[in-house]
């Protein structure tokens, strides 16, 4: 199995000339992307790489002074963006109601629903491994610009772990955020496929708000991971949003738009907390590196079931005190820990052969 990660490394820029070369290269790349995007939009969304190369390659090099590989990367970047938008539109059909019958209808959308070309607003540039960027034996990064190659020092804790010969570097993205320069490097590695038969340990992980996560393993070890910092940040955003909405000025509306972008980074498409989503991604990444797997199981009744006698009863859980007390066998524990214990049991059932383990409502042990 091949796993892929994105290494986000900060760049130490030694002089203003390098920063200027980066800025100029990214801006020309951005304008070239918009040029290709407009061509695709005006030509029935033709996204065949060979045809676009034949038609636009020379123009991109002449109009935007792009290097050979960068011109081709521009075309690939735009094609990838249109394909992503195409997939997103297909997943979100247009819904409308017939005014006469009152019935609702769904119509699958495609790229022809776009009113204008996809716009590339953020300056950045995609760099091909070895041709546009490379890692030098000196520990520096060599990055291609319109003015030629420059050498910069990467600042990334743990970067050396990707230099053990098992990782393969690929595409890199040069960008600037909050006045700082970054290079996001794609890296892949072959890891062994997950095998249920070799599993020795199963850990249950219950996600929540008071505790970001609570874990429980087969040896009875429990760990709580505090989530109060996330709740405080969420409350901060909510308070700031209310204040800006109350003002209603142009400046407030601009800040509100920026704030919405920040909040969106905390919320996934399924309306889950971004912190939960990010936690899941990190866990999956770490699990695959250790020939393990993260399995999502049904959370139904996990906070209501007694892990000792098996009785499921909603009233056994006290939300205010965060306690669970089974009135059947008398077992008592923290309610988050109860959830982790039951999830650990579901994980054990999954390892034993149940593809979709879950608890069924019962009032008896």
């Amino acid at each position: 199995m091949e796993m892929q990660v994105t290494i986000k490394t900060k760049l130490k820029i030694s002089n203003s000339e390098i920063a200027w070369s980066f800025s100029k290269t990214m801006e020309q790349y951005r304008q070239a992307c918009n040029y290709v995007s407009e061509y695709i939009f005006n030509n029935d969304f033709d996204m065949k790489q060979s045809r676009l190369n034949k038609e636009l390659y020379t123009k991109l090099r002449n109009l935007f002074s792009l290097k050979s590989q960068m011109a081709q990367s521009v075309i690939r970047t735009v094609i990838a963006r249109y394909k992503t938008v195409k997939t997103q539109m297909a997943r979100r059909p247009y819904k409308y109601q017939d005014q006469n019958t009152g019935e609702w209808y769904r119509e699958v959308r495609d790229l022809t629903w776009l009113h204008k070309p996809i716009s590339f607003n953020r300056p950045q540039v995609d760099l091909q491994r070895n041709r546009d960027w490379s890692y030098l034996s000196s520990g520096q990064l060599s990055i291609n610009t319109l003015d030629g190659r420059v050498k910069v020092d990467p600042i990334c804790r743990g970067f050396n772990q990707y230099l053990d010969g098992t990782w393969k570097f690929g595409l890199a993205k040069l960008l600037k955020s909050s006045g700082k320069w970054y290079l996001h490097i794609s890296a892949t590695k072959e890891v062994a496929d997950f095998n249920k038969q070799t599993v020795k340990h199963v850990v249950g992980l219950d996600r929540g708000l008071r505790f970001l996560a609570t874990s429980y393993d087969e040896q009875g070890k429990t760990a709580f991971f505090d989530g109060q910092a996330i709740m405080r940040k969420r409350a901060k955003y909510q308070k700031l949003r209310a204040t800006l909405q109350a003002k209603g000025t142009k400046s407030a509306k601009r800040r509100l738009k920026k704030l919405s972008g920040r909040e969106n980074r905390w919320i996934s498409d399924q309306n889950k907390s971004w912190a939960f989503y990010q936690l899941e991604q990190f866990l999956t990444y770490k699990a695959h590196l250790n020939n393990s797997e993260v399995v999502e199981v049904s959370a139904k009744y996990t906070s209501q079931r007694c892990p000792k006698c098996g009785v499921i009863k909603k009233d056994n859980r006290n939300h205010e005190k965060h306690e669970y007390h089974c009135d059947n066998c008398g077992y008592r524990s923290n309610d988050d820990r109860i959830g982790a214990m039951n999830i650990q049991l579901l994980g054990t059932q999954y390892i034993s052969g149940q593809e979709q383990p879950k608890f069924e409502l019962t009032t008896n042990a």
Side-chain angles (χ1 to χ4, degrees):
M1 177 178 66
E2 183 180 82
M3 67 172 297
Q4 180 174 340
V5 300
T6 299
I7 308 168
K8 300 178 180 180
T9 176
K10 184 179 176 182
L11 302 179
K12 183 179 180 180
I13 307 300
S14 59
N15 57 67
S16 59
E17 286 78 9
I18 293 178
W20 168 246
S21 292
F22 281 171
S23 296
K24 182 171 64 173
T25 302
M26 291 197 307
E27 176 58 22
Q28 291 297 97
Y29 193 92
R30 183 189 72 84
Q31 292 185 25
C33 285
N34 284 324
Y35 182 85
V36 175
S37 178
E38 185 173 355
Y39 179 88
I40 291 176
F41 181 83
N42 293 330
N43 287 272
D44 299 323
F45 301 101
D46 181 7
M47 291 186 287
K48 189 171 179 59
Q49 177 84 29
S50 59
R51 283 200 293 265
L52 292 175
N53 267 332
K54 182 178 180 180
E55 180 65 29
L56 301 176
Y57 173 78
T58 302
K59 295 178 181 178
L60 292 175
R61 296 207 62 186
N62 293 335
L63 292 174
F64 304 100
S65 303
L66 296 180
K67 304 287 186 178
S68 174
Q69 191 60 50
M70 288 184 186
Q72 296 180 42
S73 293
V74 163
I75 296 174
R76 281 192 288 266
T77 296
V78 180
I79 291 175
R81 180 73 66 85
Y82 268 93
K83 287 183 176 180
T84 298
V85 172
K86 181 180 179 180
T87 300
Q88 292 173 340
M89 295 180 74
R91 290 176 178 173
R92 300 172 184 172
Y94 174 69
K95 301 177 183 179
Y96 64 95
Q97 186 178 31
D98 189 305
Q99 298 300 320
N100 297 321
T101 65
E103 294 187 24
W104 283 91
Y105 296 90
R106 293 158 57 97
E107 186 173 347
V108 178
R109 299 187 300 167
D110 57 23
L111 291 175
T112 60
W113 284 65
L114 293 177
H115 298 296
K116 59 181 180 179
I118 295 175
S119 180
F120 291 78
N121 300 316
R122 186 182 185 185
Q124 57 186 35
V125 56
D126 289 341
L127 304 168
Q128 296 294 324
R129 166 69 167 160
N130 290 329
R131 297 196 177 187
D132 288 322
W133 82 273
S134 58
Y135 181 80
L136 306 177
S137 58
S138 62
Q140 290 183 303
L141 293 171
S142 174
I143 300 176
N144 205 8
T145 72
L146 298 186
D147 300 318
R149 282 186 173 261
V150 297
K151 297 178 181 179
V152 295
D153 294 313
I155 304 175
C156 180
R157 186 174 60 183
F159 188 79
N160 288 339
Q161 66 180 301
Y162 301 103
L163 304 176
D164 61 2
T166 64
W167 290 92
K168 181 180 179 182
F169 293 138
L171 186 74
K173 187 181 295 291
L174 177 68
L175 51 88
K176 187 178 183 181
S177 178
S178 301
K180 299 177 181 178
W181 294 95
Y182 295 90
L183 190 69
H184 290 183
I185 304 171
S186 172
T188 57
K189 178 180 181 178
E190 288 292 333
V191 296
D193 291 335
F194 174 68
N195 185 357
K196 292 183 181 180
Q197 306 302 321
T198 63
V199 173
K200 297 181 180 179
H201 306 287
V202 177
V203 178
L205 196 67
D206 180 58
R207 300 179 300 189
L209 294 178
R210 190 167 70 102
F211 293 109
L212 178 60
T214 303
S215 66
Y216 179 87
D217 64 17
E218 73 282 348
Q219 297 178 354
K221 184 178 180 180
T222 305
F224 297 92
F225 301 90
D226 189 13
Q228 294 300 311
I230 294 171
M231 294 182 68
R232 287 193 294 270
K233 179 163 285 190
R234 182 177 294 154
K236 172 187 174 183
Y237 280 142
Q238 291 175 343
K239 182 178 179 180
L240 181 56
R241 169 178 281 278
T243 301
L244 294 174
Q245 287 176 333
K247 287 184 177 181
T249 63
K250 290 184 179 180
S251 176
K253 289 179 180 179
R254 285 195 297 269
R255 290 191 62 193
L256 191 60
K257 185 176 180 180
K258 292 182 179 180
L259 176 63
S260 297
R262 292 179 184 175
E263 287 182 309
N264 286 339
R265 290 196 290 270
W266 285 73
I267 306 297
S268 71
D269 291 339
Q270 290 75 34
N271 201 30
K272 296 178 182 177
S273 168
W274 178 258
F276 290 156
Y277 172 78
Q278 194 173 49
L279 173 63
E280 183 178 333
Q281 298 301 303
F282 286 161
L283 284 174
T284 301
Y285 159 64
K286 290 294 186 181
H288 289 172
L289 284 179
N290 291 278
N291 195 24
S292 301
E293 187 58 271
V294 174
V295 179
E296 187 172 355
V297 296
S298 173
K300 196 171 185 179
Y301 303 126
T302 53
S303 62
Q304 302 174 19
R305 178 185 179 278
C306 176
K308 295 299 181 181
C309 68
V311 166
I312 297 175
K313 191 173 182 181
K314 185 176 182 180
D315 294 340
N316 284 343
R317 183 185 186 189
N318 188 319
H319 288 271
E320 293 183 0
K321 295 183 178 180
H322 299 288
E323 291 181 350
Y324 181 93
H325 182 206
C326 179
D327 60 8
N328 181 62
C329 69
Y331 184 72
R332 185 191 301 268
S333 187
N334 172 275
D335 57 354
D336 292 305
R337 182 173 181 267
I338 292 292
M341 293 175 72
N342 283 316
I343 291 173
Q344 196 275 339
L345 176 59
L346 291 177
T348 301
Q349 293 175 355
Y350 173 81
I351 295 301
S352 300
Q354 297 186 38
E355 289 299 322
Q356 294 181 327
K358 62 181 179 180
F359 295 122
E360 302 291 347
L361 181 62
T362 177
T363 56
N364 299 316

